[in-house]
Amino acid sequence: MAAVPKLKIGFIGTGFIATYHSKSIRRVEQTLPFEIERAGVFDVDSARATSFATASGHHVMSSPQEVIDSSDVVYICTWTSEHLEMVRKVAQSGKALFCEKPLATNIADAQEIVRLCEEFNITNQVGLVLRHSPAYLLARDLTHAPEAGRVMSVIFRDDQFIPVQGHYDSTWRGDVSRAGAGTLLEHSIHDIDMLHAVIGPIAEVSARQSFFHGIKGIEDVLTANFSFSVTDDSTRGVRAVALGSLTSIWHDNLARPSLRRVEIFCEKRFITIEGDDWFGPVSWTNSDGSSGTLAGDELVAVTRELIPDHPNPDAAFLLAAYNRKPAYPDVSVALSAHQTVDAIYRSAREGGNNIHVGNN
Ligand SMILES: NC(=O)c1ccc[n+]([C@@H]2O[C@H](COP(=O)([O-])OP(=O)(O)OC[C@H]3O[C@@H](n4cnc5c(N)ncnc54)[C@H](O)[C@@H]3O)[C@@H](O)[C@H]2O)c1
């Protein structure tokens, strides 16, 4: 009898997001054309590693390298400052890599991660999960449909309680040496990535930041204005450039879950995304008076063909790794978001100066 094909999975860092991925893999594993073998896990907090391994069926190892040696694919789910050194080990071992976002605490380390993935030519994916979100995929489709006209403006608001409490059960996000920065880098890098995906590349930024919690280097309010490269210098000789804004807030209102609201204005269509990041609702109104709303299972069904691979990002990664194919979104997608984030922080440090983004 032919042996059942297997894929061995390891985790470095076994906290909040590692648990999320482990549960996500369990939900889809029966649908995959190979068996999942739960290989090594390592965490500097050995109690965390043990409770993760007990719940999931993985095996606690005594170093990141042992995890890598035991695995075909490795999830890097440590706090952000550790990502680069872990990526280096995974890349040098030639194993497939899932690296959580943000890639790194600074742009130079993010660039080095991309370089390592290229040099060792490994399948790699990042935790920019909204790239697979039905709500954002539908919004992108509605925005760029010819009948919508040109995209004019976007208003993006994102707020959550400062995640050094509540269900996050950790404090590292209040330590600049481990998190790199505050609400923009740690959380709203997802929003920058969605602005890139739904509207288009960002050309220029002007930003301000504020520090209500008094934590050095950890901004808890950040506002940014953008111009996009979606440009039409029409024959009328005036600039027609899509403009937008982001407001990202870490407050103390634990009664409010993480919430985003996005409003997109096209010449002939208005679109909103609200409620759930995945299941919407997404609503739109057209200049002829017609309108629509999609949410939940209906939204998932309508957008299935817009998703480039498997609708579950973990399944998409494991399938790509198994087939030794490129995965999506990869570290180069994340680097674009990092370049915009870097320009925003530079503008904020300079009191709102206009900064050109280096990724166009
Ligand atoms: N994609 C998303 O939506 C999303 C959501 C949450 C977190 N994240 C990212 O995931 C990463 C982890 O966040 P989290 O919420 O799981 O944090 P967490 O504190 O719950 O877990 C991180 C774990 O990493 C361990 N760790 C730290 N340094 C280590 C090292 N050198 N070797 C092994 N283990 C180490 C810690 O002990 C901890 O258990 C961060 O980069 C974060 O930004 C992404």
Side-chain angles (χ1 to χ4, degrees):
M1 209 167 80
V4 181
K6 285 189 179 178
L7 195 72
K8 294 181 276 179
I9 304 180
F11 282 89
I12 302 174
T14 57
F16 174 80
I17 201 69
T19 303
Y20 170 91
H21 289 299
S22 177
K23 288 181 175 172
S24 161
I25 292 166
R26 199 167 287 284
R27 277 197 300 276
V28 291
E29 68 177 306
Q30 294 305 330
T31 69
L32 299 173
F34 44 82
E35 217 171 80
I36 300 291
E37 188 173 321
R38 294 182 165 78
V41 295
F42 173 74
D43 196 298
V44 285
D45 180 341
S46 59
R48 274 199 157 190
T50 301
S51 78
F52 180 92
T54 305
S56 62
H58 282 269
H59 308 282
V60 177
M61 304 269 162
S62 53
S63 73
Q65 194 59 51
E66 278 184 35
V67 172
I68 296 164
D69 293 343
S70 75
S71 309
D72 301 313
V73 310
V74 181
Y75 277 76
I76 295 181
C77 299
T78 65
W79 45 64
T80 306
S81 58
E82 310 302 301
H83 290 180
L84 172 58
E85 279 322 299
M86 299 303 157
V87 170
R88 196 186 304 285
K89 290 183 202 297
V90 174
Q92 286 172 346
S93 304
K95 304 292 174 80
L97 164 78
F98 188 104
C99 183
E100 261 310 335
K101 54 49 57 183
L103 290 181
T105 58
N106 60 75
I107 188 76
D109 286 2
Q111 284 163 336
E112 176 62 4
I113 284 175
V114 174
R115 196 196 64 72
L116 284 164
C117 289
E118 283 170 1
E119 180 186 345
F120 292 95
N121 194 24
I122 53 168
T123 297
N124 66 89
Q125 188 169 320
V126 288
L128 289 169
V129 283
L130 295 181
R131 288 265 165 178
H132 282 79
S133 154
Y136 285 88
L137 285 162
L138 178 64
R140 184 191 68 188
D141 220 44
L142 289 165
T143 300
H144 296 288
E147 63 272 22
R150 293 173 295 182
V151 56
M152 301 175 77
S153 191
V154 55
I155 300 166
F156 204 124
R157 187 214 68 210
D158 186 350
D159 75 281
Q160 64 171 176
F161 58 79
I162 187 166
V164 291
Q165 56 194 319
H167 58 255
Y168 288 93
D169 193 26
S170 60
T171 55
W172 62 268
R173 290 175 176 85
D175 174 356
V176 70
S177 70
R178 290 184 284 175
T183 186
L184 176 68
L185 178 68
E186 166 49 28
H187 182 59
S188 286
I189 194 163
H190 283 297
D191 308 340
I192 297 299
D193 183 49
M194 282 304 95
L195 286 163
H196 288 170
V198 174
I199 310 294
I202 291 172
E204 294 170 302
V205 301
S206 168
R208 308 231 170 216
Q209 59 186 338
S210 202
F211 299 82
F212 280 79
H213 290 86
I215 311 172
K216 200 167 177 342
I218 306 293
E219 86 285 358
D220 44 26
V221 181
L222 187 138
T223 61
N225 289 306
F226 312 110
S227 66
F228 290 86
S229 310
V230 187
T231 309
D232 177 13
D233 283 317
S234 69
T235 47
R236 288 173 227 170
V238 288
R239 255 181 123 209
V241 180
L243 302 176
S245 67
L246 169 69
T247 298
S248 178
I249 308 158
W250 274 351
H251 46 63
D252 287 309
N253 187 348
L254 269 93
R256 233 178 119 72
S258 178
L259 280 174
R260 295 180 168 95
R261 182 182 165 84
V262 187
E263 300 183 348
I264 302 166
F265 295 84
C266 301
E267 289 173 300
K268 296 176 189 166
R269 177 172 281 164
F270 171 62
I271 304 149
T272 59
I273 312 170
E274 51 198 331
D276 189 88
D277 283 337
W278 212 259
F279 298 113
V282 177
S283 307
W284 63 96
T285 316
N286 299 320
S287 59
D288 63 4
S290 60
S291 62
T293 297
L294 278 172
D297 291 344
E298 210 185 344
L299 171 62
V300 171
V302 165
T303 53
R304 180 63 191 93
E305 66 186 23
L306 303 176
I307 297 171
D309 40 33
H310 196 289
N312 175 306
D314 289 295
F317 167 61
L318 298 178
L319 284 162
Y322 181 76
N323 293 313
R324 299 178 188 277
K325 296 258 172 65
Y328 172 85
D330 68 7
V331 291
S332 67
V333 172
L335 182 60
S336 291
H338 273 277
Q339 283 165 324
T340 299
V341 163
D342 192 55
I344 292 172
Y345 280 128
R346 193 174 142 207
S347 173
R349 281 196 304 274
E350 295 178 7
N353 281 349
N354 194 48
I355 304 292
H356 288 265
V357 180
N359 59 350
N360 299 303

